[in-house]
Amino acid sequence: MPEPVRSQYEKWGLRGLLQRYPGLCLRPQAHGGALLEGDLEFSAHYGDHEPITDLYTVEIRVEADFPRSIPTVREMGGRIRDGFHTNPSDGTLCLGSRIKLKTALDRHPTLLGFAQNCLVPFFYSCSFREQNGRLPWGDLAHGTPGLLDEYMSRLSVDNEKACLELIMLLGIRKRVANKRPCPCGSGRRVGKCHHRALNLLRAVASRSWFRGEHRRLSE
Amino acid sequence: MNSDNAYANQVLLALVELLDISPSYYDKATERYKSLGEWLHRKESQVGLFSPSVYVQGSFMYGTVIRPLMTSEEYDLDLVCQLNLSKMRVSQRDVKELVGDEVKAYAKAMGIAEPAREKKRCWRLDYADEAKFHMDILPAVPDPEFQTRLLIMEVRQDIAAQAVAITDREHPRYTEVQDDWPESNPKGFTRWFEGRMRPVAQLLLESLVARRLYASVDHVPLYAWKTPLQRAIQILKRHRDIMFKDDVDGKPISMIITTLAARCYGGERELQEALSNIIRKMPEWVRDARPRIANPVHPKEDFADKWHKHPRLEENFWAWHTQAQADLTAVTRPVDESRLRRLVRQKFGADISQERTRTIVGTAVAAGGAAGASAPAIVTIKEPPRPWA
């Protein structure tokens, strides 16, 4: 066994999640993963809106390498009918862009953190949409443009080409990258220009992860 | 005790009442094992010479039986049939068959339709009358040599003195007369278990005697003690049954739950306190090396011996432990009536009546507790991810 499940469960903060969401039930899976299934009942509050209390039946799949990998989630109760931000190939929910979810997990690397920061907001926006016919904080465009959009705002650049080049720089060593001319076109080197925004992202994921991200976004 | 604890205890007591079996089942069990004992002592008995004694082991002995999840399920009544024979003079098979012949004759005489079935270590008898039992009868002989070894391992003298040798059909030398037999100590375990709750039970027992329900403290059977330890075990077993209702073979075994719970029980008088301490301390009694979970009256025996070959079983144990700890916290935290009923149904498959729920929630509020939560605690959403596809 790679890591005893016992210490893994503690590291994941599984008990905290189950205490907070007692409708969930834990099912150990092969290779040290876990499945959490049952009812996720929450009350959530956003901005000036009235709090929403709602319940969704879910299936959360956690792999052994959590929090490096992001859990995948399915809605099992038929509440999300029109394919609202659902991956058509496997029925998993599109909770948000990979980099956004990675950032949330980096700040709160537990399953409770994942539920509070990634899952509850998603279901809140589903319920909000049912009640108000619109989304509380919008959504991202489908596919690569949506993901790039997220990066552009995080990196404060306004064109896709510069954005992609900056993501590429996240895949190489900081010291090497900082000596390059900044892709934003400022004429300065990266170390004197976009390095702060890049460093914030570097803290969230590894270079190899960003190389993968760059490859996927360039396809 | 603050009002939240009072609430928790009321919930747990209401739950345990639903899990507990009627005392008539224990009476029935007693009747059955006594009847088998009498049979073995009748004039024509083949084993009469070997002063047979029949006694109960397992949950019917410890008073930790719970209602099966399905009404169609049977209760297991585990009996030991001990013959005063030396393992140096007979083979395991001799003992197994001696007992077997008598059990078969008994089944016939009692008009039990199903014939006795031979299992690896015991004989199984299926009663098919109103009380659905099956009896597992474990043949055993005293084992003075094993008793001495237990004493050397510093097992208490009165516990070691109960140790026995048992038979196993799959043992390589099952048919030979030799001294290498499987070992067990069911009576010793009962004594140890009883000892874990004796201090807290004393007052309880005296009050039963004072109410003239029993002639003396020694006459109160273990199942009537109803200590917080026994009740905690009942709750934990039912939680396990629900969690593993679709994976019956993968569930943590009762012996593991019973042993760990008894190890961790510190004589608490309140159920809620007992249960939360037990579940919190459990991991301390699971060792990293073998034996992972030692039998307290037979330190070399490992109740978790299957974990090595089937790691899934260990994962299931920790999953159960994590879930049980979380669920017990959730179920003892004041909530409104409908939420309380839903939680208890979901986690323990038990229906607390509406009336009872109202009383529990009502008393908590009257005692100055906060009104039960009618919604989960609010999450404030900040910097939410935008859904993406």
Side-chain angles (χ1 to χ4, degrees), chain A residues 103-161:
Chain A
T103 311
L105 279 180
D106 179 62
R107 275 187 208 152
H108 308 277
T110 63
L111 284 173
L112 182 60
F114 174 71
Q116 312 281 64
N117 298 298
C118 305
L119 210 46
V120 167
F122 182 88
F123 288 126
Y124 175 92
S125 65
C126 295
S127 300
F128 187 96
R129 178 167 163 265
E130 277 180 6
Q131 292 176 11
N132 305 296
R134 63 181 176 90
L135 288 168
W137 50 75
D139 53 0
L140 294 171
H142 288 264
T144 308
L147 294 181
L148 277 175
D149 193 29
E150 179 91 34
Y151 276 107
M152 290 197 297
S153 69
R154 294 282 285 271
L155 289 164
S156 12
V157 286
D158 55 9
N159 73 85
E160 289 187 3
K161 188 172 167 289

Side-chain angles (χ1 to χ4, degrees), chain A residues 22 26 41 43 45 94 142-143, chain B residues 323 339 347 379 381 388-389:
Chain A
L26 169 62
E41 191 190 23
S43 290
H45 174 259
C94 305
H142 288 264
Chain B
Q323 183 87 45
R339 259 159 232 275
K347 300 300 179 181
V379 178
I381 297 175
W388 163 77

Side-chain angles (χ1 to χ4, degrees), chain A residues 6 15 18-20 22 24-28 41 43-45 85 94 96 100 107 116-117 137 139-143, chain B residues 243 283 316 318-319 322-323 325-326 329-330 333 339 342 347 376-381 383-389:
Chain A
R6 176 181 166 186
R15 188 148 51 88
L18 295 171
Q19 265 172 27
R20 183 70 192 251
L24 295 176
C25 187
L26 169 62
R27 309 244 172 263
E41 191 190 23
S43 290
H45 174 259
H85 290 292
C94 305
K100 181 77 188 178
R107 275 187 208 152
Q116 312 281 64
N117 298 298
W137 50 75
D139 53 0
L140 294 171
H142 288 264
Chain B
M243 184 165 169
N316 285 351
W318 291 114
T322 308
Q323 183 87 45
Q325 196 168 12
T329 308
R333 190 169 46 201
R339 259 159 232 275
R342 192 173 73 199
K347 300 300 179 181
I378 293 185
V379 178
T380 300
I381 297 175
E383 301 179 44
R386 283 180 287 169
W388 163 77

